[in-house]
């Protein structure tokens, strides 16, 4: 087991290294640089470039950056003058992560529940209703759902605050719902499929032959076995939701990490692009590793000896 | 008839599956009974309705299957009229079942000891540790190797024979009145088959459990069953004591089944015997004897109408075949001559 984990950690580090390298050169391929500005004299621009080391050959910049990265230094942002990248992530990630955790936990629970209901009532009306919901949930983007429910519950009914963050817990309800909607829908669909595969298994017949009530059969025999394939996309799902969403955070005025993913690229803030990408990548890799370990715990057949 | 003395009695049971293609008449009016401490066998090839029969008796028949006629009485209770809750109190407790392939019929993510204990705890109000002690007793009873360690194993860590022992322990832990064994040895290799048969026979003595064996393997039947029902296309074509069926078989289908048992002393150069053709389509069951299309002794009567059941040497040995009609004497004589020559 330890060998397995060690091997996976080495692969994970390698993955992050490749990710950092590719992102570095891709960001340098973008036309222009952060200091190109007609209003600023060229001599000043040159000085600014030299300050950030952007006047050196790209390959040399790369080695400097990787050297710093090895020491854990993600560099300083160009647009947020004087702030380190680590500082920026430290300030905005907790907000996104908190919202993401709320969204994810209720999306997982509701998604699994809907999936179970669909499978148990397959091809009857509860299944059809929930499947329509799931298809809508996947098909409707948050930029449509977000403003709609914000208008309905925030402006018209005035049940919930229209936006903001950190004052009341009600502020989290709508953004968490919009953020989790796709996850609920996706989970409903895959849980339905996973459970349908389990329902026809022979050991379910054994459980029924023991005189178990249908509800107990679901909880004790079908649920755990259906969760095994569900785990596969849990890692990317956690990483994706926790990293924040540009759209949702913009709509509900939430100071999360989402907007930086977009703004860093459009302002060519190289250190921030790199820092965010590596952070996301490392987070994803770690989540996948945790899920793989979880796999063995849920299904003894794939436990590594 | 002395109906009241039977532990389990099935009368004129009919079961159909209502599919998009139409009504599949899987079981078409069969009657059989089981006495206390007795082992009987339902014998026939795949699709003859034997598994559907015991699923129905145990109350495990699932949609689109439906009972279309007849009755099932167990200990004087009408099984088909019980509520789901009443049924569940019998299932796994008074009547239990073991299946063909122990690997697929065991939950892969649950320790085997827990799976055995589950049967017991569902029907007895006991604590976890009491149930565990009971599981250990049971595993000792079936002489399971290293029960203290193996009760914590997962099914994939055990051998096929050990898994089937787990199934047996699971089925017998509540001391059931009836054990249904649906092809219990088919998925096992021959030496393990013998062990499982021996185990079931010895446990039957110890626990006074009656067994309904379902199989197409007459070798297994010979070692276990006192009485045999031969099923074909949803009907019982012949029934009788094991001796009757093995030494004085009457129905041509039974002849075919017996002839297709591989024999060690047979001429090696000769091919395996088999019954040519396939069973009839139960969406549109034939009007006459269902076996007529595959029977080499069939006459016009066989195709047009179903033969009555006839008693032979004893009241319990019965078969449904036109060969024994007074008008078919010549045909019967020819058939017996041919069979005599074969042996």
């Amino acid at each position: 087991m330890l060998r397995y984990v060690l091997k996976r950690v080495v692969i994970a580090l390698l993955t992050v290294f490749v990710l950092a390298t590719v992102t570095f050169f891709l960001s340098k391929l973008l036309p222009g640089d952060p200091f190109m500005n007609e209003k600023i004299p060229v001599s000043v621009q040159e000085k600014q470039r030299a300050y950030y080391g952007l006047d050196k050959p790209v390959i040399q910049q790369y080695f400097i950056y990787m050297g710093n990265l090895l020491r854990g230094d993600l560099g300083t942002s160009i647009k947020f003058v004087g702030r380190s990248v680590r500082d920026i992530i430290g300030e905005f990630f907790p907000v996104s992560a908190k919202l993401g955790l709320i969204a994810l936990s209720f999306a997982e629970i509701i998604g699994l529940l809907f999936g179970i209901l669909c499978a148990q009532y397959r091809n009857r009306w509860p299944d059809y209703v929930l499947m329509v919901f799931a298809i809508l949930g996947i098909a409707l983007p948050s930029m449509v759902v977000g403003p709609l429910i914000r208008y309905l519950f925030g402006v018209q009914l005035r049940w919930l605050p229209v936006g903001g963050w950190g004052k009341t817990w009600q502020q989290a309800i709508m953004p968490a719902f919009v953020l989790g909607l796709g996850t609920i829908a996706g989970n409903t669909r895959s849980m339905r499929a996973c459970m349908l595969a389990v329902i026809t298994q022979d050991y379910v017949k054994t459980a029924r032959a023991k005189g178990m009530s249908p509800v107990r059969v679901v909880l004790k025999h079908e649920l755990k076995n259906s969760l095994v394939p569900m785990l596969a996309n849990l890692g990317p799902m956690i990483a994706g939701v926790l990293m924040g969403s540009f759209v949702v955070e913009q709509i509900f005025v939430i100071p999360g990490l989402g907007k930086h993913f977009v703004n860093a690229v459009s302002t060519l803030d190289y250190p921030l692009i790199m820092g965010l990408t590596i952070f996301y990548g490392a987070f994803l890799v770690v989540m996948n590793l945790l899920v793989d370990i979880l796999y063995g715990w849920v299904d003894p057949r794939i436990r590594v000896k | 008839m002395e109906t009241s003395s039977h532990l389990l009695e099935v009368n004129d049971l009919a079961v159909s599956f209502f599919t998009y293609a139409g009504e599949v008449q899987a079981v078409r009016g069969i009657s059989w009974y089981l006495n206390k401490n007795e082992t009987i066998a339902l014998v026939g090839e795949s699709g003859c309705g034997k598994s559907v029969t015991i699923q129905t008796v145990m109350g495990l028949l699932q949609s689109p299957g439906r009972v279309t006629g007849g009755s099932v009485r167990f200990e004087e209770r009408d099984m088909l009229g019980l509520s789901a809750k009443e049924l569940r109190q019998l299932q796994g407790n008074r009547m239990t079942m073991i299946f063909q392939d122990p690997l697929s019929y065991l939950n892969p993510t649950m320790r085997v000891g827990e799976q055995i204990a589950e049967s017991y705890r569902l029907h007895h109000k006991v604590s976890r540790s009491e149930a565990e002690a009971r599981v250990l007793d049971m595993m000792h009873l079936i002489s399971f190797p290293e029960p203290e360690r193996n009760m914590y194993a997962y099914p994939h860590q055990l051998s096929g024979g050990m898994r089937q022992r787990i199934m047996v322990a699971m089925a017998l832990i509540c001391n059931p009145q009836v054990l249904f064994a649906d092809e219990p040895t088919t998925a096992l290799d021959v030496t393990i088959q013998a062990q499982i048969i021996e185990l079931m026979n010895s446990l039957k003595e110890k626990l006074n459990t009656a067994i309904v064996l379902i199989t197409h393997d007459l070798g297994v039947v010979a070692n276990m069953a006192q009485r045999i029902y031969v099923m074909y296309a949803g009907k019982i074509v012949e029934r009788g004591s094991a001796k009757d069926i093995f030494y004085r078989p009457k129905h041509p289908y039974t002849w075919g089944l017996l002839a297709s048992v591989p024999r060690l002393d047979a001429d090696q150069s000769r091919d395996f015997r088999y019954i040519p053709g396939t069973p009839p389509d139960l969406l549109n069951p034939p009007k006459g004897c269902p076996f007529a299309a595959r029977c080499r002794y069939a006459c016009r009567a066989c195709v047009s109408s179903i033969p009555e059941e006839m008693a032979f040497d004893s009241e319990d040995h019965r078969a449904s075949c036109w060969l024994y009609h007074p008008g078919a004497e010549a045909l019967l004589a020819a058939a017996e001559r041919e069979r005599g020559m074969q042996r």
Side-chain angles (χ1 to χ4, degrees), chain A residues 161-213:
Chain A
V162 287
W165 182 256
K167 288 197 184 66
T168 62
W169 59 270
Q170 285 99 327
Q171 285 174 324
I173 296 177
M174 280 197 286
F177 172 77
V178 176
L179 192 60
L181 189 62
T183 311
I184 297 178
N187 272 340
T188 304
R189 286 190 66 88
S190 39
M191 187 62 191
R192 177 182 188 270
C194 293
M195 189 151 245
L196 281 181
V198 166
I199 278 174
T200 51
Q201 293 288 316
D202 291 332
Y203 55 81
V204 174
K205 290 184 196 138
T206 310
R208 294 203 307 128
K210 282 178 178 175
M212 257 188 176
S213 67

Side-chain angles (χ1 to χ4, degrees), chain A residues 282-296:
Chain A
F283 196 81
L284 184 63
V285 162
V286 169
M287 283 303 145
N288 274 332
L289 185 60
L290 286 182
V291 165
D292 279 351
I293 295 167
L294 207 63
Y295 245 124

Side-chain angles (χ1 to χ4, degrees), chain A residues 76-137:
Chain A
T76 328
S77 167
I78 295 173
K79 280 290 149 176
F80 300 87
V81 181
R83 296 200 62 182
S84 73
V85 171
R86 181 204 285 258
D87 208 30
I88 293 171
I89 295 175
E91 179 183 339
F92 295 99
F93 175 64
V95 176
S96 287
K98 199 169 166 188
L99 178 64
L101 270 180
I102 298 169
L104 198 67
S105 37
F106 92 89
E108 282 292 336
I109 293 168
I110 294 177
L112 294 189
L113 198 71
F114 281 4
I116 294 169
L117 286 175
C118 280
Q120 297 298 328
Y121 293 96
R122 62 195 166 282
N123 301 333
R124 283 187 276 161
W125 70 263
D127 184 22
Y128 295 134
V129 171
L130 289 174
M131 280 334 270
V132 168
F133 167 80
I135 290 165
L136 284 178

